[in-house]
């Protein structure tokens, strides 16, 4: 799943759960969370290395 897909999916999940649109601040927080998740994943170049 790409960063944009993950972001869009999270925003929709939060909006459904809250029953309202997210504020700009809340959307910024989700963007930051997705970036942190992406940064913590091993990169393709290091996959399979011991």
């Amino acid at each position: 799943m790409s960063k944009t897909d993950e972001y869009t999916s999270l925003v929709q999940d939060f909006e459904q759960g809250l029953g309202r649109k997210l504020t700009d601040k809340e959307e910024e927080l989700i963007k930051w969370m997705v970036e942190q998740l992406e940064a913590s994943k091993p990169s393709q170049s290091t996959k399979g290395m011991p």
Side-chain angles (χ1 to χ4, degrees):
M1 189 181 292
S2 77
K3 198 185 304 192
T4 306
D5 292 342
E6 200 165 340
Y7 166 76
T8 304
S9 175
L10 279 170
V11 168
Q12 289 171 347
D13 288 350
F14 274 101
E15 286 178 346
Q16 271 189 327
L18 295 169
R20 64 173 171 81
K21 285 291 211 190
L22 295 180
T23 64
D24 290 345
K25 194 76 170 169
E26 289 166 333
E27 285 195 38
E28 286 296 317
L29 184 58
I30 292 173
K31 270 186 198 163
W32 179 83
M33 286 169 37
V34 170
E35 286 169 9
Q36 297 306 306
L37 286 170
E38 289 295 313
S40 68
K41 289 180 184 171
S43 70
Q44 293 292 333
S45 61
T46 58
K47 265 191 183 158
M49 291 179 72

